[in-house]
Amino acid sequence: MMRHRIPVREVAVAFAIAAALAARGSAAPASDQFWIDLGERVPKVQNLPDFVDVAARLSPAVVNISTEQRGQPHRFESEPPEGAPGPSTQPFEDYGGENSRNLGSGFVINRSGYILTNDHVIEDARQIMVSLKDGHQYPAKVVGRDPKTDVALIKIDAPYPLPVAPLGDSDELRVGEWVMAIGNPFGFDHTVTAGIISAKGRFIPGNYDEFIQTDASINPGNSGGPLIDLHGAVVGVNSAIYTRTGSNMGIGFAIPVNIVKSELPQLRDGSRVMRGWIGISIQDVPPEIALKDGLDENQGAFIAGVLDNSPAKAAGLKDGDIVVEFDHHQIGESQQLPLLVGDTRVGRTVTIKVIRDRQAREIPITVATSREEEVASTGQEGGTAMTGALVSELSPELVRQQKLSGAGGVVVSSVTPDSPAQSAGLRPGDIILEVNRHRVRNVDSYQRALKAKGHSGITLLLVQRDKETIFVPVK
């Protein structure tokens, strides 16, 4: 019988390693050691993810979209103008000009030719052309669109069944999970990139969505393309990047596919997406108010204004109330409230919990159909295309908190993305005291002051922010 001989040197080395490991594992921690060691490590075999099969299956369902638009200027996500709050997180747009051609991406969700993409990809398009991976091109028509979530459904008429991309469950995503993006960055069709889920529930001011953040490389032209998990299911629609250069910096944002799925029946029917609405303007809870009412600084949504003839007015909500729960869902960040209200079925009565004068109150409220477009067009909240800011009347609580005089003013409730107001650095919660050196007392006087032309096309605002007064020029 043959026996294998193990060299003495290898035996000695093995015993030495085992002895060292045993000694390290049994040694008591030093008395002055204030950190915690991992201890015994269990070997874990891990392979890098293989995207080959998923890319092969999904790429035929991804399309390139080109649109012809009139008078759309070139706009990239780039370094913000001086005075702006930070780098842009706006949707991609490619080169433009008179009769410009914009490039984007999309993906087929139905064999008869229905395609999902971003609303900003097809916005104001005179003509939409869709290119498939097999080389065929077809004109597309818009079936339904929702600027609020930046989602659009378009359709082509192909003479054969199209490959489709199945939709997954974005709620099941976990931070650190591998994902893949397919799209048309800078015109390089069907580019495949990979990364991980960097975060969930990201809020971008002026947007309705709770975005998925990913470091999968996405660039201008990726807009409307799919974000795909390792199972080959679409979990998001790529929409925006955070950048200082106009190109990928490892921070991209995708619309969760579950939000998209909830809108698809209405988009397919070509009807306007109906959302719940209660008629309030909100902002983050001012730290002084949170301290006074015994709340965490990042808890709740501060009601800065209540619209007339709204469900909030009928329910008895007041300026200065702090919403801490809606339909038994706790409100952490203020941006969560519009999402919860918007997802509530119109006509349903729910309970809203507010803090008023340090007392918790539960108030029934019936959710109505959103009137945001109507309010903006009538100017009831002081909406104006010239500045891109929506304002509301000052609440007594804000007047006391900011120690304002009785001369009045208006509070900025929201700022439209990529607007002159955002470029100038105007923020929600700012209090506008003057417009072009004219004192502002309320929304009506604010609107009248805006109609007067500023010097050299500049509207000069006197703004109070965090108890400091600053001038903000808005082009």
Side-chain angles (χ1 to χ4, degrees):
M1 181 166 122
M2 182 175 287
R3 296 182 180 178
H4 295 283
R5 299 182 61 187
I6 302 176
V8 174
R9 180 175 176 276
E10 292 186 15
V11 174
V13 170
F15 273 109
I17 293 174
L21 289 174
R24 186 174 64 178
S26 60
S31 59
D32 60 345
Q33 181 172 310
F34 58 91
W35 65 86
I36 298 175
D37 288 324
L38 177 61
E40 183 179 358
R41 301 188 181 201
V42 178
K44 185 177 181 181
V45 179
Q46 254 187 342
N47 294 322
L48 289 174
D50 187 350
F51 294 100
V52 175
D53 292 338
V54 175
R57 289 203 317 269
L58 273 294
S59 285
V62 179
V63 303
N64 298 334
I65 299 174
S66 61
T67 64
E68 186 172 324
Q69 298 172 305
R70 180 177 297 277
Q72 292 295 314
H74 166 66
R75 187 169 74 243
F76 266 137
E77 299 168 333
S78 55
E79 186 72 24
E82 185 176 354
S88 170
T89 50
Q90 298 309 302
F92 308 123
E93 285 195 46
D94 225 337
Y95 289 101
E98 193 68 20
N99 298 323
S100 68
R101 295 189 70 85
N102 285 1
L103 297 177
S105 305
F107 54 98
V108 182
I109 63 167
N110 183 287
R111 292 189 182 278
S112 60
Y114 287 93
I115 295 168
L116 270 176
T117 186
N118 283 146
D119 179 71
H120 75 263
V121 169
I122 55 90
E123 183 182 15
D124 298 326
R126 294 197 313 169
Q127 184 182 26
I128 304 172
M129 291 298 297
V130 171
S131 301
L132 305 179
K133 192 175 184 183
D134 62 13
H136 289 96
Q137 286 189 336
Y138 299 97
K141 64 179 180 180
V142 177
V143 178
R145 50 189 295 251
D146 180 29
K148 192 73 174 177
T149 52
D150 196 18
V151 172
L153 184 68
I154 62 177
K155 188 179 186 302
I156 61 174
D157 294 321
Y160 53 91
L162 298 176
V164 301
L167 305 186
D169 185 351
S170 52
D171 290 342
E172 294 297 318
L173 283 177
R174 295 184 300 169
V175 174
E177 181 176 340
W178 284 96
V179 287
M180 177 180 72
I182 306 177
N184 180 40
F186 300 110
F188 294 101
D189 62 292
H190 291 87
T191 296
V192 177
T193 56
I196 63 170
I197 299 296
S198 304
K200 295 175 62 179
R202 290 295 196 207
F203 292 103
I204 299 176
N207 289 270
Y208 178 78
D209 308 298
E210 276 186 293
F211 286 92
I212 300 166
Q213 182 184 329
T214 178
D215 66 351
S217 182
I218 51 180
N219 288 285
N222 272 110
S223 275
L227 189 69
I228 305 162
D229 65 16
L230 287 178
H231 302 290
V234 177
V235 293
V237 181
N238 297 320
S239 181
I241 56 174
Y242 184 96
T243 178
R244 294 181 182 274
T245 64
S247 300
N248 174 65
M249 291 182 64
I251 302 179
F253 299 98
I255 304 162
V257 76
N258 285 8
I259 290 179
V260 179
K261 287 194 290 187
S262 68
E263 296 184 354
L264 275 177
Q266 297 178 76
L267 293 174
R268 180 192 57 194
D269 294 340
S271 57
R272 184 169 67 92
V273 174
M274 304 294 287
R275 290 191 183 84
W277 177 82
I278 58 175
I280 59 175
S281 299
I282 63 169
Q283 65 182 74
D284 292 338
V285 181
E288 295 84 355
I289 301 295
L291 181 64
K292 179 178 75 69
D293 287 333
L295 298 171
D296 292 336
E297 188 170 332
N298 294 324
Q299 180 184 359
F302 184 83
I303 297 181
V306 178
L307 291 182
D308 293 335
N309 303 316
S310 67
K313 192 78 170 181
L317 295 181
K318 297 182 178 180
D319 297 354
D321 284 349
I322 300 174
V323 182
V324 292
E325 282 186 18
F326 181 85
D327 194 21
H328 307 294
H329 295 279
Q330 289 191 346
I331 305 298
E333 298 178 328
S334 61
Q335 300 98 321
Q336 291 177 301
L337 182 57
L339 295 177
L340 290 171
V341 175
D343 288 339
T344 304
R345 177 175 51 83
V346 173
R348 182 165 171 250
T349 300
V350 301
T351 299
I352 188 168
K353 185 176 181 180
V354 302
I355 303 297
R356 182 186 302 167
D357 299 327
R358 298 186 66 90
Q359 299 294 320
R361 301 167 184 251
E362 293 189 348
I363 301 172
I365 187 169
T366 301
V367 176
T369 304
S370 176
R371 285 174 44 207
E372 291 183 49
E373 294 180 5
E374 174 191 339
V375 168
S377 65
T378 60
Q380 188 170 349
E381 281 190 294
T384 171
M386 180 165 59
T387 64
L390 216 63
V391 303
S392 303
E393 303 285 359
L394 288 176
S395 67
E397 194 69 36
L398 264 180
V399 172
R400 290 194 298 270
Q401 182 247 323
Q402 295 287 349
K403 297 181 180 178
L404 298 173
S405 65
V410 293
V411 61
V412 177
S413 54
S414 66
V415 177
T416 303
D418 198 39
S419 65
Q422 186 190 59
S423 298
L426 207 61
R427 307 174 188 173
D430 284 347
I431 298 171
I432 300 176
L433 304 174
E434 292 182 1
V435 175
N436 292 331
R437 304 290 185 178
H438 294 286
R439 188 72 190 183
V440 170
R441 299 183 181 279
N442 50 35
V443 170
D444 287 340
S445 64
Y446 168 78
Q447 294 281 26
R448 288 195 300 270
L450 281 177
K451 292 179 181 178
K453 292 184 179 179
H455 300 290
S456 303
I458 301 293
T459 299
L460 187 64
L461 305 178
L462 179 64
V463 171
Q464 181 163 326
R465 177 184 299 162
D466 299 331
K467 298 184 180 180
E468 293 184 358
T469 303
I470 59 175
F471 280 104
V472 178
V474 182
K475 292 184 180 180

